[in-house]
Amino acid sequence: MREIQLATKILKTLVKDRIQYSDRLVVDTIGVIARCGILLVLYWYVFKLSNGVINGTPFLFAAWSIFFYFSFSVLRLRDISREIMRDIQTGNVEVLFSKPISYLSYRMWWQVGSGIYSFVVITILAVIALFFIIGFPPTMTIEIFIPTLILTFICGVILSLFLYTIVGLLSFWIEDINPVFWIVDKAVMILGGSYLPVALFPTFMFKIALWSPFGASQFVTHTVYETWQTNWYQLVGIQLFWIVFLGLIVYFMFERAKQKVSVNGG
């Protein structure tokens, strides 16, 4: 019950703050237009030169796959790594440890809340715009699309939070996590299908994206393809495996971290 109350309060507070101060929304909107918009225009031209199909994939499917990646990125779940590092470097983590709340729950809900308003607004407007510009692929009109999209989205959020929390918790042992963060973040970017749609991956690279936690955190980009209708349960299963595995790593790392703070902080 306390967990639900904490989550509700954090989300309400941050959404109200983002509505009142819309700077973050403006920045995120410009970012999506600058990166995703330009990328889609470039791919439209490349696909046009290839008669509209590359590696058996039409532009319509590739465009929506790329969009889902950039839409998901608006949540900025990756920022939790540096927020944890900042808490540790400033000593704020010791203060939060003494509060009657779970530090990790607080950080995770805060990260979701800080990006949820921009995500909802930008996604709704962008989906409407893309619909009128290029239309929906037929795979987005079948009955299982919305339920499985929501399921893999939620799993992707949890998996991303766990993945970047592990990177952040390394701050208890190494002073600067940025090199590790850059490696993990670039792996997620590449294997998640940010600039090259997953359907266009070479076979070896596609398998890495399929079975690694980096690619699994972005399985929302797979939902537009025709194969999703038959293998969605397998991909969700992979996500659940990594959620459990990384969740255990987060748990044990956090337990060790609390002992370290107790020893060093008294």
Side-chain angles (χ1 to χ4, degrees):
M1 181 62 68
R2 180 180 295 178
E3 181 81 15
I4 297 176
Q5 292 176 345
L6 173 65
T8 303
K9 188 172 183 178
I10 290 175
L11 292 177
K12 284 183 178 179
T13 301
L14 290 174
V15 169
K16 288 180 181 178
D17 180 71
R18 295 294 182 260
I19 293 174
Q20 185 173 359
Y21 303 99
S22 58
D23 294 351
R24 179 73 169 270
L25 176 60
V26 174
V27 171
D28 288 336
T29 302
I30 293 174
V32 170
I33 294 175
R35 293 183 295 165
C36 183
I38 294 175
L39 190 64
L40 290 180
V41 172
L42 290 174
Y43 267 106
W44 171 81
Y45 183 72
V46 172
F47 271 84
K48 184 179 180 181
L49 294 178
S50 302
N51 295 320
V53 178
I54 297 178
N55 197 27
T57 302
F59 170 72
L60 188 60
F61 291 88
W64 279 98
S65 178
I66 293 172
F67 164 71
F68 280 150
Y69 173 88
F70 283 100
S71 173
F72 188 85
S73 69
V74 174
L75 283 170
R76 295 193 179 187
L77 302 176
R78 60 206 288 269
D79 290 351
I80 193 173
S81 295
R82 286 171 173 157
E83 291 297 329
I84 294 175
M85 181 178 69
R86 189 175 296 111
D87 285 340
I88 295 170
Q89 291 177 343
T90 60
N92 190 42
V93 69
E94 296 182 24
V95 177
L96 292 172
F97 272 11
S98 65
K99 302 297 182 181
I101 59 174
S102 169
Y103 170 74
L104 289 184
S105 294
Y106 163 77
R107 264 284 152 240
M108 289 181 184
W109 281 115
W110 186 276
Q111 202 58 55
V112 172
S114 65
I116 192 68
Y117 176 67
S118 294
F119 166 77
V120 171
V121 173
I122 292 174
T123 299
I124 291 175
L125 294 178
V127 166
I128 294 173
L130 277 178
F131 169 72
F132 284 107
I133 295 172
I134 62 176
F136 287 142
T139 52
M140 290 178 62
T141 60
I142 60 176
E143 293 182 356
I144 67 167
F145 176 75
I146 296 298
T148 56
L149 174 67
I150 294 173
L151 178 60
T152 195
F153 171 79
I154 294 173
C155 289
V157 169
I158 298 172
L159 183 53
S160 296
L161 287 171
F162 283 171
L163 184 61
Y164 285 107
T165 295
I166 290 173
V167 177
L169 290 174
L170 289 175
S171 298
F172 282 102
W173 292 273
I174 58 178
E175 184 175 352
D176 186 3
I177 64 163
N178 282 316
V180 180
F181 173 81
W182 291 330
I183 293 172
V184 171
D185 197 47
K186 292 302 180 289
V188 171
M189 183 181 297
I190 294 171
L191 298 176
S194 59
Y195 296 110
L196 180 66
V198 290
L200 305 184
F201 283 2
T203 302
F204 177 71
M205 186 175 174
F206 181 80
K207 288 182 179 179
I208 296 176
L210 189 66
W211 295 103
S212 71
F214 311 109
S217 66
Q218 306 296 320
F219 274 172
V220 67
T221 61
H222 291 243
T223 58
V224 299
Y225 298 113
E226 294 178 342
T227 54
W228 180 254
Q229 302 175 45
T230 56
N231 69 355
W232 66 267
Y233 56 89
Q234 178 189 7
L235 300 188
V236 172
I238 294 173
Q239 284 184 313
L240 293 175
F241 167 79
W242 283 117
I243 286 173
V244 173
F245 184 78
L246 295 186
L248 290 173
I249 293 178
V250 168
Y251 172 78
F252 287 113
M253 286 183 70
F254 188 58
E255 290 300 312
R256 291 290 300 275
K258 287 192 293 185
Q259 295 174 11
K260 188 176 181 66
V261 170
S262 179
V263 171
N264 295 339

